Amino acid sequence: MKVLIVGYGSMGKRRIRLLQQLERGAEFLCVDKNPSRLRQAGEQGLRAYEDLAQALEEKPELAFVCTSPGNHAGIILKLVEAGIHVFTELNLVDHDYGRIIALAEERNTAVFMSSTMLYDKRIETIDRLVKAQEKPLTYLYHVGQYLPDWHPWESYKDFFIGKKETNGVREILAIQLPWLLHTFGKIEELSVMSHRCTKLEIDFDDSVSVTFRHESGAVGVFVADTVSRKAAVHLEIIGEDIHLLWDGHNDDLCIYDLEKKTMRPVETYDAAEHADGYADHIIENRYADEIADFLAMVYQNKTPRYSLANDQYTLKIIDEIEGHR
């Protein structure tokens, strides 16, 4: 199996590491315009190219698009045109989605849209518990991390999360909304309040509070920020027959026992893998699981959990949120 990695940054390196575990015989090619990253790839024994067209001459079977999420569309179209099955990381804009979908169908080529939270076993458990409820629910959800801490090895001003079009709050929304929509349903109504809490050199509000009313009848408040000095994930789901708490870690998902009147833990992962340099709530297992689903889409014609059409809807909701700010 010959695999092309477009973008040898943190996500490109992660995908290579996990693919090496899943497909021992895989051969990797890398494309990156950054000279230092090209040098790093070569030092790791990978064949590295500055130009995508050169790498395509090697006729890879699969490609992972791991560049900044504002410019994926042009790359994906070139890959699909070449008949290469594509795994795309998070897209923060829906540029050319219609063309990509049409071309992929014409070329009988898979385009897999990453949505890592949908492969998180803690989220799968929450989804199951929520969907077992017959009465309306309310939820409170906060996700935040200080912008300069996202990639401490580089300036936030050089990283896409510091740019207005692909800002960090937008990325949090794009990561979290797919599972919220999957679990609680599409959005009937929303309201937004936002403001600036830092003196960072950015041109977007760094704290956003959104109230959602879902088609299921659930109402939720979601706070996304790039302000929290301690990386934060906190979820509370409230209903007459359920009270669930989660602080984002493997061992702190708890549900209230209605008979015993105490909180009890809910088991998810037997063992959770973490990568150095990332917040401790970020589990590697889910990234491997979605790669496995991509391979199943390509080689077994399996329908993925999340599609470009799903992502179009998610990005539409995010655009509406930003339009209220």
Short mmCIF file of all heavy atoms in Angstrom, two decimals, residues 153-206:
data_model
loop_
_atom_site.label_atom_id
_atom_site.label_comp_id
_atom_site.label_asym_id
_atom_site.label_seq_id
_atom_site.Cartn_x
_atom_site.Cartn_y
_atom_site.Cartn_z
N TRP A 153 5.03 24.88 20.25
CA TRP A 153 6.29 24.90 19.52
C TRP A 153 6.30 25.94 18.39
O TRP A 153 7.30 26.10 17.70
CB TRP A 153 6.58 23.51 18.95
CG TRP A 153 5.48 22.95 18.09
CD1 TRP A 153 5.27 23.16 16.76
CD2 TRP A 153 4.43 22.10 18.52
NE1 TRP A 153 4.17 22.49 16.33
CE2 TRP A 153 3.62 21.81 17.39
CE3 TRP A 153 4.08 21.50 19.75
CZ2 TRP A 153 2.49 21.00 17.45
CZ3 TRP A 153 2.96 20.68 19.80
CH2 TRP A 153 2.18 20.44 18.66
N GLU A 154 5.15 26.63 18.16
CA GLU A 154 5.11 27.67 17.14
C GLU A 154 4.18 28.79 17.60
O GLU A 154 3.33 28.60 18.47
CB GLU A 154 4.63 27.10 15.80
CG GLU A 154 3.22 26.55 15.80
CD GLU A 154 2.82 25.96 14.46
OE1 GLU A 154 3.32 26.43 13.41
OE2 GLU A 154 2.00 25.02 14.46
N SER A 155 4.36 29.97 17.02
CA SER A 155 3.52 31.11 17.37
C SER A 155 2.11 30.93 16.84
O SER A 155 1.92 30.49 15.71
CB SER A 155 4.12 32.40 16.79
OG SER A 155 3.21 33.48 16.93
N TYR A 156 1.12 31.29 17.67
CA TYR A 156 -0.27 31.20 17.21
C TYR A 156 -0.51 32.09 16.00
O TYR A 156 -1.43 31.84 15.21
CB TYR A 156 -1.24 31.57 18.35
CG TYR A 156 -1.21 33.01 18.78
CD1 TYR A 156 -1.99 33.98 18.15
CD2 TYR A 156 -0.38 33.43 19.82
CE1 TYR A 156 -1.96 35.32 18.54
CE2 TYR A 156 -0.33 34.76 20.21
CZ TYR A 156 -1.13 35.70 19.57
OH TYR A 156 -1.08 37.01 19.96
N LYS A 157 0.33 33.12 15.81
CA LYS A 157 0.18 34.01 14.67
C LYS A 157 0.61 33.35 13.36
O LYS A 157 0.24 33.81 12.28
CB LYS A 157 0.97 35.30 14.92
CG LYS A 157 0.36 36.18 16.01
CD LYS A 157 1.14 37.45 16.23
CE LYS A 157 2.37 37.20 17.07
NZ LYS A 157 3.04 38.46 17.47
N ASP A 158 1.36 32.26 13.46
CA ASP A 158 1.80 31.52 12.28
C ASP A 158 0.96 30.27 12.05
O ASP A 158 1.19 29.53 11.09
CB ASP A 158 3.27 31.10 12.42
CG ASP A 158 4.19 32.30 12.56
OD1 ASP A 158 3.88 33.34 11.96
OD2 ASP A 158 5.20 32.19 13.28
N PHE A 159 0.01 30.01 12.92
CA PHE A 159 -0.80 28.79 12.92
C PHE A 159 -2.21 29.18 12.50
O PHE A 159 -2.70 30.26 12.83
CB PHE A 159 -0.76 28.21 14.35
CG PHE A 159 -1.43 26.89 14.55
CD1 PHE A 159 -1.59 25.98 13.51
CD2 PHE A 159 -1.89 26.53 15.81
CE1 PHE A 159 -2.21 24.77 13.73
CE2 PHE A 159 -2.50 25.31 16.04
CZ PHE A 159 -2.66 24.43 14.99
N PHE A 160 -2.90 28.30 11.77
CA PHE A 160 -4.20 28.68 11.19
C PHE A 160 -5.24 29.09 12.23
O PHE A 160 -6.15 29.86 11.94
CB PHE A 160 -4.75 27.56 10.29
CG PHE A 160 -5.17 26.31 11.03
CD1 PHE A 160 -6.42 26.22 11.62
CD2 PHE A 160 -4.33 25.21 11.10
CE1 PHE A 160 -6.82 25.07 12.30
CE2 PHE A 160 -4.72 24.05 11.75
CZ PHE A 160 -5.96 23.98 12.36
N ILE A 161 -5.11 28.62 13.46
CA ILE A 161 -6.11 28.95 14.48
C ILE A 161 -6.03 30.42 14.91
O ILE A 161 -6.92 30.90 15.60
CB ILE A 161 -6.01 28.02 15.71
CG1 ILE A 161 -4.56 27.84 16.16
CG2 ILE A 161 -6.63 26.67 15.40
CD1 ILE A 161 -4.09 28.79 17.16
N GLY A 162 -4.99 31.11 14.48
CA GLY A 162 -4.88 32.53 14.78
C GLY A 162 -5.43 33.42 13.67
O GLY A 162 -5.47 34.65 13.82
N LYS A 163 -5.88 32.81 12.57
CA LYS A 163 -6.43 33.56 11.44
C LYS A 163 -7.96 33.64 11.55
O LYS A 163 -8.61 32.71 12.02
CB LYS A 163 -6.07 32.89 10.11
CG LYS A 163 -4.63 32.43 10.00
CD LYS A 163 -3.64 33.56 10.09
CE LYS A 163 -2.21 33.05 9.93
NZ LYS A 163 -1.20 34.10 10.16
N LYS A 164 -8.54 34.72 11.06
CA LYS A 164 -9.98 34.93 11.22
C LYS A 164 -10.81 33.85 10.54
O LYS A 164 -11.75 33.31 11.13
CB LYS A 164 -10.37 36.31 10.67
CG LYS A 164 -11.85 36.65 10.92
CD LYS A 164 -12.17 38.07 10.49
CE LYS A 164 -13.62 38.41 10.81
NZ LYS A 164 -13.95 39.81 10.44
N GLU A 165 -10.46 33.47 9.29
CA GLU A 165 -11.28 32.52 8.54
C GLU A 165 -11.24 31.13 9.15
O GLU A 165 -12.22 30.38 9.08
CB GLU A 165 -10.82 32.46 7.08
CG GLU A 165 -11.73 31.60 6.21
CD GLU A 165 -11.27 31.49 4.77
OE1 GLU A 165 -10.04 31.47 4.53
OE2 GLU A 165 -12.12 31.43 3.88
N THR A 166 -10.12 30.76 9.78
CA THR A 166 -9.95 29.41 10.33
C THR A 166 -9.61 29.49 11.82
O THR A 166 -8.79 28.72 12.31
CB THR A 166 -8.85 28.66 9.57
OG1 THR A 166 -7.64 29.44 9.61
CG2 THR A 166 -9.25 28.43 8.12
N ASN A 167 -10.25 30.40 12.53
CA ASN A 167 -9.86 30.70 13.92
C ASN A 167 -10.14 29.55 14.88
O ASN A 167 -10.90 28.62 14.58
CB ASN A 167 -10.54 31.98 14.40
CG ASN A 167 -12.03 31.83 14.55
OD1 ASN A 167 -12.52 31.30 15.54
ND2 ASN A 167 -12.79 32.30 13.55
N GLY A 168 -9.50 29.62 16.04
CA GLY A 168 -9.57 28.54 17.02
C GLY A 168 -10.97 28.25 17.53
O GLY A 168 -11.32 27.09 17.75
N VAL A 169 -11.80 29.27 17.74
CA VAL A 169 -13.17 29.03 18.18
C VAL A 169 -13.94 28.28 17.10
O VAL A 169 -14.69 27.34 17.39
CB VAL A 169 -13.88 30.35 18.55
CG1 VAL A 169 -15.37 30.12 18.80
CG2 VAL A 169 -13.23 30.99 19.77
N ARG A 170 -13.73 28.68 15.86
CA ARG A 170 -14.39 27.99 14.74
C ARG A 170 -13.95 26.52 14.71
O ARG A 170 -14.75 25.63 14.45
CB ARG A 170 -14.05 28.69 13.43
CG ARG A 170 -14.84 28.15 12.23
CD ARG A 170 -14.55 28.95 10.97
NE ARG A 170 -15.29 28.40 9.84
CZ ARG A 170 -16.51 28.77 9.47
NH1 ARG A 170 -17.14 29.72 10.14
NH2 ARG A 170 -17.10 28.21 8.45
N GLU A 171 -12.67 26.27 14.97
CA GLU A 171 -12.20 24.88 14.96
C GLU A 171 -12.85 24.07 16.09
O GLU A 171 -13.26 22.92 15.88
CB GLU A 171 -10.69 24.79 15.08
CG GLU A 171 -10.26 23.33 14.99
CD GLU A 171 -8.76 23.11 14.99
OE1 GLU A 171 -8.09 23.59 15.90
OE2 GLU A 171 -8.30 22.43 14.07
N ILE A 172 -12.96 24.65 17.28
CA ILE A 172 -13.63 23.93 18.38
C ILE A 172 -15.06 23.58 17.97
O ILE A 172 -15.52 22.45 18.18
CB ILE A 172 -13.62 24.78 19.67
CG1 ILE A 172 -12.20 24.88 20.23
CG2 ILE A 172 -14.56 24.17 20.72
CD1 ILE A 172 -12.07 25.84 21.40
N LEU A 173 -15.77 24.53 17.38
CA LEU A 173 -17.14 24.27 16.93
C LEU A 173 -17.17 23.15 15.90
O LEU A 173 -18.02 22.26 15.94
CB LEU A 173 -17.75 25.54 16.37
CG LEU A 173 -18.07 26.66 17.37
CD1 LEU A 173 -18.34 27.98 16.64
CD2 LEU A 173 -19.25 26.29 18.25
N ALA A 174 -16.22 23.17 14.96
CA ALA A 174 -16.20 22.16 13.90
C ALA A 174 -15.85 20.78 14.42
O ALA A 174 -16.30 19.77 13.87
CB ALA A 174 -15.21 22.58 12.81
N ILE A 175 -15.08 20.72 15.49
CA ILE A 175 -14.75 19.43 16.11
C ILE A 175 -15.92 18.90 16.91
O ILE A 175 -16.25 17.70 16.85
CB ILE A 175 -13.51 19.59 17.02
CG1 ILE A 175 -12.25 19.85 16.18
CG2 ILE A 175 -13.31 18.35 17.89
CD1 ILE A 175 -11.04 20.25 17.01
N GLN A 176 -16.58 19.75 17.67
CA GLN A 176 -17.58 19.30 18.64
C GLN A 176 -19.00 19.21 18.08
O GLN A 176 -19.78 18.34 18.50
CB GLN A 176 -17.59 20.24 19.85
CG GLN A 176 -16.25 20.34 20.57
CD GLN A 176 -15.83 19.05 21.24
OE1 GLN A 176 -16.67 18.20 21.55
NE2 GLN A 176 -14.54 18.90 21.48
N LEU A 177 -19.36 20.09 17.15
CA LEU A 177 -20.74 20.10 16.66
C LEU A 177 -21.18 18.79 16.00
O LEU A 177 -22.34 18.38 16.18
CB LEU A 177 -20.97 21.26 15.70
CG LEU A 177 -21.43 22.58 16.32
CD1 LEU A 177 -21.65 23.62 15.23
CD2 LEU A 177 -22.70 22.40 17.13
N PRO A 178 -20.33 18.10 15.23
CA PRO A 178 -20.81 16.86 14.61
C PRO A 178 -21.40 15.86 15.60
O PRO A 178 -22.45 15.26 15.34
CB PRO A 178 -19.56 16.31 13.92
CG PRO A 178 -18.80 17.54 13.53
CD PRO A 178 -19.00 18.48 14.71
N TRP A 179 -20.75 15.67 16.75
CA TRP A 179 -21.30 14.69 17.69
C TRP A 179 -22.53 15.24 18.40
O TRP A 179 -23.48 14.49 18.69
CB TRP A 179 -20.24 14.18 18.67
CG TRP A 179 -19.97 14.99 19.90
CD1 TRP A 179 -18.95 15.85 20.11
CD2 TRP A 179 -20.73 14.98 21.13
NE1 TRP A 179 -19.01 16.39 21.37
CE2 TRP A 179 -20.09 15.87 22.02
CE3 TRP A 179 -21.87 14.31 21.56
CZ2 TRP A 179 -20.56 16.11 23.30
CZ3 TRP A 179 -22.35 14.55 22.84
CH2 TRP A 179 -21.70 15.43 23.70
N LEU A 180 -22.53 16.55 18.69
CA LEU A 180 -23.73 17.13 19.32
C LEU A 180 -24.94 17.02 18.39
O LEU A 180 -26.05 16.69 18.83
CB LEU A 180 -23.48 18.60 19.66
CG LEU A 180 -22.51 18.88 20.82
CD1 LEU A 180 -22.21 20.37 20.91
CD2 LEU A 180 -23.07 18.36 22.14
N LEU A 181 -24.74 17.25 17.10
CA LEU A 181 -25.83 17.13 16.13
C LEU A 181 -26.25 15.67 15.97
O LEU A 181 -27.44 15.37 15.84
CB LEU A 181 -25.37 17.69 14.77
CG LEU A 181 -25.09 19.20 14.74
CD1 LEU A 181 -24.42 19.59 13.43
CD2 LEU A 181 -26.37 19.99 14.95
N HIS A 182 -25.30 14.77 15.99
CA HIS A 182 -25.61 13.34 15.86
C HIS A 182 -26.40 12.85 17.07
O HIS A 182 -27.35 12.05 16.94
CB HIS A 182 -24.31 12.55 15.73
CG HIS A 182 -24.50 11.07 15.65
ND1 HIS A 182 -24.93 10.43 14.52
CD2 HIS A 182 -24.33 10.09 16.59
CE1 HIS A 182 -25.01 9.13 14.74
NE2 HIS A 182 -24.65 8.90 15.99
N THR A 183 -26.03 13.32 18.25
CA THR A 183 -26.64 12.83 19.49
C THR A 183 -27.97 13.52 19.81
O THR A 183 -28.94 12.87 20.19
CB THR A 183 -25.66 13.01 20.66
OG1 THR A 183 -24.50 12.21 20.42
CG2 THR A 183 -26.29 12.60 21.99
N PHE A 184 -28.03 14.84 19.64
CA PHE A 184 -29.22 15.59 20.03
C PHE A 184 -30.10 16.01 18.86
O PHE A 184 -31.24 16.44 19.07
CB PHE A 184 -28.81 16.83 20.82
CG PHE A 184 -28.17 16.53 22.15
CD1 PHE A 184 -26.79 16.61 22.32
CD2 PHE A 184 -28.94 16.16 23.24
CE1 PHE A 184 -26.20 16.33 23.54
CE2 PHE A 184 -28.36 15.87 24.47
CZ PHE A 184 -26.98 15.96 24.62
N GLY A 185 -29.60 15.90 17.63
CA GLY A 185 -30.40 16.24 16.46
C GLY A 185 -30.04 17.59 15.86
O GLY A 185 -29.29 18.38 16.43
N LYS A 186 -30.59 17.86 14.70
CA LYS A 186 -30.32 19.11 13.99
C LYS A 186 -30.85 20.31 14.79
O LYS A 186 -31.62 20.15 15.74
CB LYS A 186 -30.95 19.07 12.60
CG LYS A 186 -30.23 18.13 11.65
CD LYS A 186 -30.79 18.25 10.23
CE LYS A 186 -29.95 17.43 9.26
NZ LYS A 186 -30.43 17.58 7.85
N ILE A 187 -30.41 21.50 14.35
CA ILE A 187 -30.71 22.72 15.09
C ILE A 187 -31.99 23.37 14.57
O ILE A 187 -32.13 23.61 13.36
CB ILE A 187 -29.55 23.73 14.99
CG1 ILE A 187 -28.23 23.10 15.45
CG2 ILE A 187 -29.87 24.99 15.78
CD1 ILE A 187 -28.23 22.60 16.87
N GLU A 188 -32.93 23.63 15.47
CA GLU A 188 -34.14 24.38 15.11
C GLU A 188 -33.95 25.87 15.32
O GLU A 188 -34.50 26.69 14.58
CB GLU A 188 -35.32 23.90 15.96
CG GLU A 188 -35.92 22.58 15.51
CD GLU A 188 -37.24 22.30 16.22
OE1 GLU A 188 -37.48 22.92 17.29
OE2 GLU A 188 -38.01 21.46 15.73
N GLU A 189 -33.19 26.22 16.35
CA GLU A 189 -33.05 27.63 16.73
C GLU A 189 -31.75 27.80 17.50
O GLU A 189 -31.33 26.90 18.23
CB GLU A 189 -34.24 28.04 17.59
CG GLU A 189 -34.29 29.48 18.01
CD GLU A 189 -35.48 29.78 18.91
OE1 GLU A 189 -36.31 28.87 19.13
OE2 GLU A 189 -35.57 30.92 19.38
N LEU A 190 -31.09 28.95 17.33
CA LEU A 190 -29.89 29.23 18.12
C LEU A 190 -29.80 30.71 18.42
O LEU A 190 -30.34 31.55 17.71
CB LEU A 190 -28.64 28.73 17.40
CG LEU A 190 -28.22 29.34 16.06
CD1 LEU A 190 -27.43 30.64 16.23
CD2 LEU A 190 -27.38 28.35 15.27
N SER A 191 -29.10 31.02 19.51
CA SER A 191 -28.78 32.41 19.86
C SER A 191 -27.34 32.45 20.34
O SER A 191 -26.82 31.46 20.87
CB SER A 191 -29.73 32.94 20.94
OG SER A 191 -29.62 32.16 22.12
N VAL A 192 -26.69 33.59 20.15
CA VAL A 192 -25.25 33.69 20.37
C VAL A 192 -24.90 34.96 21.13
O VAL A 192 -25.46 36.02 20.89
CB VAL A 192 -24.49 33.70 19.02
CG1 VAL A 192 -22.98 33.75 19.24
CG2 VAL A 192 -24.88 32.51 18.16
N MET A 193 -23.94 34.83 22.05
CA MET A 193 -23.27 35.99 22.65
C MET A 193 -21.78 35.70 22.62
O MET A 193 -21.35 34.57 22.86
CB MET A 193 -23.74 36.25 24.08
CG MET A 193 -25.20 36.66 24.19
SD MET A 193 -25.65 37.29 25.82
CE MET A 193 -24.79 38.87 25.81
N SER A 194 -20.98 36.72 22.31
CA SER A 194 -19.53 36.52 22.24
C SER A 194 -18.81 37.79 22.64
O SER A 194 -19.37 38.89 22.60
CB SER A 194 -19.12 36.11 20.83
OG SER A 194 -19.34 37.16 19.91
N HIS A 195 -17.53 37.64 23.02
CA HIS A 195 -16.71 38.81 23.35
C HIS A 195 -15.24 38.42 23.35
O HIS A 195 -14.88 37.25 23.16
CB HIS A 195 -17.13 39.44 24.67
CG HIS A 195 -16.96 38.56 25.87
ND1 HIS A 195 -16.72 39.09 27.13
CD2 HIS A 195 -17.00 37.23 26.04
CE1 HIS A 195 -16.63 38.10 28.01
NE2 HIS A 195 -16.79 36.97 27.38
N ARG A 196 -14.39 39.42 23.60
CA ARG A 196 -12.95 39.21 23.69
C ARG A 196 -12.52 39.25 25.14
O ARG A 196 -12.87 40.16 25.88
CB ARG A 196 -12.21 40.31 22.92
CG ARG A 196 -12.25 40.20 21.42
CD ARG A 196 -11.27 39.15 20.89
NE ARG A 196 -9.90 39.45 21.26
CZ ARG A 196 -9.11 40.30 20.62
NH1 ARG A 196 -9.57 40.93 19.54
NH2 ARG A 196 -7.89 40.52 21.02
N CYS A 197 -11.74 38.23 25.54
CA CYS A 197 -11.26 38.16 26.93
C CYS A 197 -9.74 38.29 27.02
O CYS A 197 -9.21 38.41 28.12
CB CYS A 197 -11.68 36.83 27.56
SG CYS A 197 -13.44 36.59 27.72
N THR A 198 -9.04 38.22 25.91
CA THR A 198 -7.58 38.29 25.93
C THR A 198 -7.10 39.52 25.16
O THR A 198 -7.87 40.17 24.46
CB THR A 198 -6.96 37.04 25.27
OG1 THR A 198 -7.20 37.09 23.85
CG2 THR A 198 -7.54 35.76 25.85
N LYS A 199 -5.81 39.78 25.28
CA LYS A 199 -5.17 40.84 24.50
C LYS A 199 -4.28 40.24 23.41
O LYS A 199 -3.35 40.89 22.93
CB LYS A 199 -4.35 41.75 25.42
CG LYS A 199 -5.22 42.56 26.38
CD LYS A 199 -4.40 43.53 27.21
CE LYS A 199 -5.30 44.35 28.14
NZ LYS A 199 -4.52 45.30 28.97
N LEU A 200 -4.59 39.01 23.03
CA LEU A 200 -3.85 38.38 21.96
C LEU A 200 -4.06 39.13 20.64
O LEU A 200 -5.09 39.79 20.46
CB LEU A 200 -4.30 36.91 21.80
CG LEU A 200 -4.05 35.99 22.99
CD1 LEU A 200 -4.69 34.63 22.75
CD2 LEU A 200 -2.56 35.83 23.26
N GLU A 201 -3.12 39.00 19.74
CA GLU A 201 -3.19 39.70 18.45
C GLU A 201 -4.04 38.89 17.47
O GLU A 201 -3.53 38.22 16.57
CB GLU A 201 -1.78 39.94 17.91
CG GLU A 201 -0.94 40.86 18.78
CD GLU A 201 0.46 41.05 18.24
OE1 GLU A 201 0.60 41.25 17.01
OE2 GLU A 201 1.41 40.99 19.04
N ILE A 202 -5.35 38.96 17.67
CA ILE A 202 -6.30 38.23 16.84
C ILE A 202 -7.42 39.18 16.45
O ILE A 202 -7.62 40.21 17.10
CB ILE A 202 -6.88 37.00 17.56
CG1 ILE A 202 -7.49 37.41 18.91
CG2 ILE A 202 -5.82 35.93 17.76
CD1 ILE A 202 -8.16 36.28 19.67
N ASP A 203 -8.16 38.83 15.39
CA ASP A 203 -9.28 39.69 14.97
C ASP A 203 -10.60 38.93 14.99
O ASP A 203 -11.43 39.06 14.11
CB ASP A 203 -9.02 40.28 13.58
CG ASP A 203 -8.80 39.22 12.51
OD1 ASP A 203 -8.77 38.02 12.85
OD2 ASP A 203 -8.66 39.59 11.33
N PHE A 204 -10.77 38.10 16.04
CA PHE A 204 -12.03 37.39 16.24
C PHE A 204 -12.32 37.31 17.73
O PHE A 204 -11.40 37.40 18.56
CB PHE A 204 -11.98 35.98 15.63
CG PHE A 204 -10.84 35.12 16.15
CD1 PHE A 204 -11.00 34.31 17.27
CD2 PHE A 204 -9.61 35.11 15.50
CE1 PHE A 204 -9.96 33.52 17.74
CE2 PHE A 204 -8.57 34.32 15.96
CZ PHE A 204 -8.74 33.53 17.08
N ASP A 205 -13.59 37.17 18.10
CA ASP A 205 -13.96 37.00 19.50
C ASP A 205 -13.43 35.66 20.00
O ASP A 205 -13.60 34.63 19.34
CB ASP A 205 -15.48 37.05 19.67
CG ASP A 205 -16.03 38.45 19.52
OD1 ASP A 205 -15.23 39.40 19.54
OD2 ASP A 205 -17.25 38.59 19.37
N ASP A 206 -12.82 35.67 21.18
CA ASP A 206 -12.18 34.45 21.67
C ASP A 206 -13.02 33.67 22.68
O ASP A 206 -12.59 32.64 23.19
CB ASP A 206 -10.80 34.75 22.26
CG ASP A 206 -10.82 35.88 23.29
OD1 ASP A 206 -11.87 36.07 23.93
OD2 ASP A 206 -9.79 36.56 23.45
#
